[in-house]
Structure formats: structure tokens, C-alpha cells
Amino acid sequence: AQSVTQLDSQVPVFEEAPVELRCNYSSSVSVYLFWYVQYPNQGLQLLLKYLSGSTLVESINGFEAEFNKSQTSFHLRKPSVHISDTAEYFCAVSQFQGAQKLVFGQGTRLTINP
Amino acid sequence: EAQVTQNPRYLITVTGKKLTVTCSQNMNHEYMSWYRQDPGLGLRQIYYSMNVEVTDKGDVPEGYKVSRKEKRNFPLILESPSPNQTSLYFCASSYNTGELFFGEGSRLTVL
């Protein structure tokens, strides 16, 4: 079985500062990794995913995540955050490329202060 | 517009009174799933369905039922709700690529 640990439940940062949201996973098999974002009072949306190939994946709004197999991590980073990035971020892992048995972490609430 | 629609969005009910939360998607997705979101626990999968008439338990199925008679609909049924089922519920669908499309959520309170 897979599990996901997001090491920070809340991360406050100032606008235009860099941010890193940490995610570690455990699995006895190869995995596929995802980051989802939940804006206030909305459902979750896929932010980015790692299925295979390059270990560095990017989103359209400036976030990136790097798959590190030796450290079993998939940390999310952004070099300069905006107020609009305020949201809760969920790391998720699956042993399948499909959506079944997708296991989510506990979430990290990112708060951007002006 | 491609979307997953859940109803009701908000519901307060009492212990033991059967209720159904409906979920409908207009993207012709084969895969659908229900999650509950609780503070500090993230999202936990209740049930999922790979296709019509094919359903399977997730991690927290106790106290819930589902059915998948049509591709677009995947209702969640609470036969006898209890206070520990007070939660925020999300329905999601997918082409089975790992990208889930979520509804806006249904906040349920069981008194």
C-alpha cells in the first residue's frame, strides 16, 4: 500500500517570496505522483503530475516539482508566489497511471501575505 | 462546459434519516469516485467505479453505498447516517489518466 506525508500543515510566506511544499511518500512498487490544488470553496484541480521521463515537471502557473526516487520525495516549489496562490495543496500517489486508488496526503495550506 | 455536478451542496440532517448525494458528469468519463475531506486527514476514498455496473470499495466504505447504473451518474447513499459521517464530500471523474475532475463539494452535517 502507498502512503503520503505532507510535512507542513500550514506554510505562510510573503508575496514574491519563494516557497517549497514538502511531500514524501512510501511504496513498495513504482509510483505515479500528483499535486492537486484546492482554492477556497472549490473542488480540487490537478496542478502537475509525474508519470515517467524527466523527473522535473512544471505547471502552467510557475510551480514545479521534482521526483526524487532515492529520497522518496516530490516537493513542490515556486520561485515567487502571488496572492492568488493562496490555497490548499495536496500531494497524491498511485501505483497506477489511472485514477483508481489515488492516495492523498493531509494537505498544506499556503497563505500568502502582502 | 465540462463539469462534475453534485447535489445538494449543503445538507443538515439527523441521525438515521437516509439521504442520497447525487453526482453527474458530462465528460463521458468511465471512472468516477467519491471522497470525504476531513481536517488533518486530507481526502479519503469512499468508493470508486471503473465503469457502468463496476464499483469497488475505497479506504473508508463503511456506512456508504453507491451505484453506477449509467455512465454519467454515481450517487452516494447514506442508508443510516451517523454524526461521524459529518464531512465535506467530493465526487470526481476521470478518463483514468490520473487527472481527476472534482465537483464543488457537498457539506453534510449529521446531528
Side-chain angles (χ1 to χ4, degrees):
Chain A
Q2 292 76 45
S3 67
V4 179
T5 301
Q6 292 183 241
L7 297 161
D8 306 294
S9 60
Q10 296 187 62
V11 174
V13 296
F14 287 107
E15 194 171 16
E16 298 183 7
V19 70
E20 178 179 81
L21 306 183
R22 296 179 293 170
C23 171
N24 287 92
Y25 69 92
S26 67
S27 176
S28 57
V29 299
S30 296
V31 295
Y32 304 97
L33 295 154
F34 308 85
W35 275 99
Y36 280 80
V37 58
Q38 183 180 30
Y39 298 107
N41 299 313
Q42 294 185 27
L44 282 73
Q45 306 171 33
L46 181 68
L47 186 61
L48 47 77
K49 61 186 176 185
Y50 169 77
L51 300 180
S52 64
S54 172
T55 57
L56 183 67
V57 291
E58 299 177 352
S59 73
I60 58 172
N61 59 350
F63 282 94
E64 64 179 31
E66 186 158 21
F67 170 53
N68 188 319
K69 188 175 182 179
S70 62
Q71 297 190 2
T72 61
S73 68
F74 191 54
H75 301 331
L76 182 70
R77 302 184 182 95
K78 189 171 185 179
S80 176
V81 296
H82 301 116
I83 291 285
S84 59
D85 293 324
T86 296
E88 189 152 20
Y89 292 80
F90 292 91
C91 184
V93 63
S94 177
Q95 65 179 109
F96 307 100
Q97 284 202 27
Q100 72 270 35
K101 296 298 188 183
L102 192 61
V103 177
F104 286 87
Q106 302 91 330
T108 297
R109 186 171 299 277
L110 177 63
T111 304
I112 313 299
N113 298 306
Chain B
E1 180 188 354
Q3 58 186 3
V4 178
T5 304
Q6 298 179 223
N7 279 296
R9 295 287 314 281
Y10 302 91
L11 179 63
I12 300 174
T13 189
V14 296
T15 299
K17 186 176 181 181
K18 180 180 178 179
L19 68 91
T20 299
V21 185
T22 63
C23 174
S24 180
Q25 51 93 4
N26 62 1
M27 295 170 278
N28 201 35
H29 287 163
E30 291 183 344
Y31 178 89
M32 297 185 75
S33 182
W34 277 102
Y35 290 86
R36 60 179 289 173
Q37 183 179 14
D38 302 288
L41 297 177
L43 274 78
R44 293 178 292 168
Q45 189 179 53
I46 302 171
Y47 270 94
Y48 66 96
S49 170
M50 299 294 288
N51 213 327
V52 175
E53 302 290 1
V54 180
T55 63
D56 206 350
K57 296 177 180 178
D59 298 315
V60 289
E62 295 77 20
Y64 305 95
K65 286 174 59 178
V66 293
S67 68
R68 188 89 182 275
K69 294 185 172 66
E70 305 165 283
K71 198 172 189 178
R72 63 182 294 127
N73 295 323
F74 191 46
L76 178 70
I77 303 157
L78 285 72
E79 293 271 4
S80 183
S82 62
N84 65 11
Q85 293 179 295
T86 293
S87 188
L88 179 59
Y89 291 87
F90 286 100
C91 180
S93 69
S94 172
Y95 282 120
N96 206 25
T97 63
E99 179 173 3
L100 285 168
F101 292 83
F102 282 83
E104 293 190 313
S106 297
R107 187 169 292 281
L108 172 64
T109 301
V110 183
L111 303 176

